[in-house]
Amino acid sequence: MKPKVFVEMASRVKNLPPYLFATIDKMKQEARAKGVDLIDMSIGDPDIPTPAHIVDALKTAVENPEHHRYPSYEGMLSFREAVADWYRTRFNVTLDPGQEVLSLIGSKEGIGHIPLAFVEPGDTVLVPSPGYPVYPVSVLFAGGESHIMPLTEKNGFLPDFSSIPQRTLMNTKLMFINYPNNPTSVVAPRSFYEEVVNLADKYNIIVCHDAAYSEIYFDGEKPLSFMEVDGAKSVGIEFHSLSKTYNMTGWRIGFAVGNSEVLAGLGKIKTNLDSGVFQAIQEASITALRTDDALLSGIRRTYQERRDVLYAGLRELGLDVTKPRASFYLWARVPAGYDSAGFVGDMLDKTGVLATPGNGFGAPGEGYVRFALTVSADRTKEAVERLKKAL
Ligand SMILES: *Cc1c(COP(=O)(O)O)cnc(C)c1O
């Protein structure tokens, strides 16, 4: 007898692509069970703890009963003011904290919800690939259609808008872009953002720029904010997160800034689904946003040292790898004769080093592998030594 299905999942769940990290988790478990000394470079979650002054700010804030009640969905005004101050200091961008800043329960939350506010069934959304898996899934949940923008080496891992059919652009409601980019680690030039503003203006497209890695940069070259570009605020918003900048992935706080109508739409969804970010976390985040730049420079130096070790090592091994100017990832072509999954599996078996297969970020990522700089420089050196012995 066939097992009886008690409940059938909705097609929006049944149509989900396989979750990338489920396969990787299984490989990890199997390796650990065999007693492998795993060097895990597969996850984009900082290994460095949240700075102590931010943790202390939370300890104080959590004692205050004012913060024990429901927060407002849009965020405390003091938090939104701190975000506006941070934008002014870092990017020389002026934001109205009342209308142009919205708190999020991590930027993933805002990215996942934004299509629900604007995308009708059948509308097109432009989605970069390889890319953050949440973009196409949020489109699927809203009933929209993703039009994939392949990020190729030939185009410097920037989308080629000229290859998108006019008909598609006419039907497009929204687009996602993400620089510094996960997984390719490239930074976009100002001219790219200007092209985005022109395109969005011409076809009435809402631009959603994901800037989660804007503060993880190397060699002192600061990435731009989309909001610095003329006209950006009239066509879109920018997502930001405290997760990567301050090593706060577990805290769940981010924000979106920019066009007030777009933020109002996202806010409408949020008022009906969630109740905002715990105020004590917002208080600690105000402290985070005012962190002395010297401390952040130290974090950047740590990543840069790891980048230099891994980049040099992979080059010596003959891998074709892009030198990251930002983010904490290295994006490398797999050696000839391998596909992404085959190389990752073989590398794990022979060396205990685990990376992420590029095709997990979308079909155009096939033939690549992503290494995360979230293990210490010493362990990174060890990983390079083992790869040299095995490959
Ligand atoms: C890590 C990451 C985020 C941030 O997620 P949070 O929900 O803010 O923790 C957003 N976009 C990309 C591309 C990321 O890699």
Side-chain angles (χ1 to χ4, degrees):
M1 222 169 55
K2 269 207 231 153
K4 185 166 155 248
V5 179
F6 166 53
V7 280
E8 187 98 6
M9 283 196 209
S11 53
R12 74 176 67 82
V13 175
K14 287 195 287 193
N15 292 341
L16 283 173
Y19 183 58
L20 165 64
F21 289 96
T23 326
I24 295 178
D25 281 345
K26 192 157 163 256
M27 290 168 79
K28 231 184 270 188
Q29 273 168 17
E30 282 168 9
R32 287 214 171 101
K34 278 191 271 177
V36 174
D37 174 24
L38 191 71
I39 302 180
D40 187 0
M41 304 180 119
S42 71
I43 37 167
D45 191 352
D47 58 314
I48 310 165
T50 308
H53 70 290
I54 302 172
V55 176
D56 289 341
L58 178 72
K59 286 182 189 162
T60 307
V62 86
E63 303 267 9
N64 182 348
E66 256 178 56
H67 298 327
H68 299 171
R69 311 189 66 191
Y70 280 123
S72 65
Y73 79 89
E74 74 271 25
M76 295 157 73
L77 185 60
S78 53
F79 171 72
R80 289 178 287 141
E81 283 168 348
V83 170
D85 287 346
W86 184 79
Y87 257 81
R88 192 174 309 110
T89 310
R90 168 68 176 85
F91 299 115
N92 199 23
V93 165
T94 305
L95 298 168
D96 170 4
Q99 307 283 317
E100 295 175 336
V101 181
L102 178 67
S103 72
L104 296 171
I105 310 170
S107 58
K108 184 180 189 177
E109 179 260 302
I111 293 165
H113 283 146
I114 187 85
L116 291 178
F118 297 102
V119 175
E120 299 278 7
D123 284 348
T124 300
V125 177
L126 304 180
V127 171
S129 181
Y132 192 46
V134 185
Y135 312 139
V137 168
S138 69
V139 177
L140 176 75
F141 283 175
E145 308 277 341
S146 288
H147 176 88
I148 297 301
M149 302 189 288
L151 306 184
T152 64
E153 213 160 327
K154 195 171 121 261
N155 279 320
F157 299 111
L158 298 169
D160 172 14
F161 297 126
S162 70
S163 71
I164 305 172
Q166 171 101 356
R167 237 176 340 109
T168 305
L169 290 169
M170 309 272 280
N171 192 50
T172 296
K173 199 47 113 23
L174 191 145
M175 78 188 287
F176 287 108
I177 47 173
N178 161 226
Y179 293 96
N181 185 254
N182 175 12
T184 69
S185 81
V186 306
V187 175
R190 184 179 290 270
S191 58
F192 169 75
Y193 292 120
E194 287 167 351
E195 207 188 332
V196 168
V197 171
N198 286 336
L199 187 86
D201 192 43
K202 183 166 174 196
Y203 292 98
N204 243 329
I205 298 170
I206 298 168
V207 177
C208 295
H209 181 237
D210 179 353
Y213 295 95
S214 74
E215 304 317 298
I216 315 288
Y217 55 82
F218 304 125
D219 309 311
E221 271 185 83
K222 296 185 184 185
L224 292 175
S225 160
F226 177 53
M227 291 297 136
E228 284 180 65
V229 177
D230 282 345
K233 213 193 268 180
S234 56
V235 296
I237 62 171
E238 182 159 81
F239 288 103
H240 244 293
S241 173
L242 282 87
S243 288
K244 311 294 162 56
T245 309
Y246 305 103
N247 305 319
M248 291 172 67
T249 49
W251 296 52
R252 309 316 301 134
I253 182 161
F255 50 91
V257 305
N259 188 278
S260 57
E261 282 176 67
V262 176
L263 293 180
L266 177 55
K268 268 261 157 60
I269 300 292
K270 286 176 60 60
T271 36
N272 286 284
L273 281 180
D274 70 54
S275 301
V277 178
F278 181 26
Q279 288 197 6
I281 291 180
Q282 295 189 53
E283 282 286 351
S285 298
I286 294 170
T287 300
L289 289 165
R290 294 183 178 148
T291 297
D292 194 292
D293 202 57
L295 194 144
L296 298 185
S297 299
I299 295 173
R300 286 190 274 267
R301 267 197 305 278
T302 302
Y303 287 128
Q304 184 161 330
E305 185 190 357
R306 298 170 181 182
R307 175 200 69 165
D308 291 344
V309 169
L310 188 60
Y311 178 71
L314 295 179
R315 284 291 296 256
E316 272 178 59
L317 281 159
L319 289 192
D320 177 4
V321 53
T322 309
K323 187 172 192 179
R325 289 167 54 205
S327 85
F328 45 57
Y329 304 110
L330 265 82
W331 186 242
R333 246 183 210 288
V334 299
Y338 279 108
D339 64 8
S340 295
F343 180 66
V344 167
D346 217 39
M347 182 166 63
L348 179 63
D349 286 346
K350 289 180 180 158
T351 68
V353 176
L354 183 61
T356 314
N359 62 327
F361 301 97
E366 178 53 71
Y368 291 87
V369 59
R370 189 194 76 176
F371 292 88
L373 299 171
T374 48
V375 302
S376 71
D378 280 346
R379 290 291 275 174
T380 305
K381 279 178 199 151
E382 164 80 21
V384 168
E385 289 313 313
R386 289 191 203 170
L387 288 170
K388 279 184 184 162
K389 266 188 217 139
L391 298 178

